[in-house]
Amino acid sequence: SNRLDLIVEDSYVIDYLLNKHPEIQNIEKVKCVDVGDIFIAFSPKDPKSIERGKHLKSKISEMIKKGEMSKILKKYSIKPWFN
């Protein structure tokens, strides 16, 4: 009967889904849990891990400075973690 009783999902994913599909109605968010920080890890066995980590950090910083990160986050209704 096109009915869903429960879904467990990241709140950003649900918000994005609801923004993209306004025909979805009668959704009640019962509880949202803050999971805290998210980390990206590189294998210590890979000799290029340190280089890749520095490169990723540099590119994210560059995207923030150029305003690219804000555009991406806005598209998915995600609040920026930076100022």
Side-chain angles (χ1 to χ4, degrees):
S1 68
N2 283 343
R3 183 183 151 135
L4 184 65
D5 290 321
L6 173 72
I7 184 169
V8 178
E9 184 56 88
D10 180 87
S11 64
Y12 291 125
V13 173
I14 292 298
D15 290 343
Y16 178 75
L17 176 72
L18 294 175
N19 284 333
K20 283 294 192 183
H21 299 279
E23 70 276 10
I24 299 175
Q25 298 178 4
N26 299 323
I27 298 292
E28 178 184 356
K29 289 184 181 179
V30 178
K31 184 173 183 177
C32 293
V33 179
D34 183 14
V35 295
D37 294 335
I38 297 173
F39 297 90
I40 298 173
F42 296 91
S43 171
K45 292 183 180 181
D46 186 340
K48 293 188 177 184
S49 288
I50 293 174
E51 176 185 336
R52 289 180 178 142
K54 288 179 181 179
H55 182 74
L56 179 63
K57 184 177 180 178
S58 170
K59 289 300 177 183
I60 290 173
S61 294
E62 183 180 315
M63 290 174 73
I64 291 170
K65 287 177 187 171
K66 290 182 175 181
E68 296 170 352
M69 186 64 73
S70 292
K71 289 178 187 175
I72 293 169
L73 297 177
K74 184 177 180 180
K75 178 179 177 181
Y76 296 101
S77 302
I78 299 175
K79 296 175 188 168
W81 67 90
F82 52 87
N83 291 326

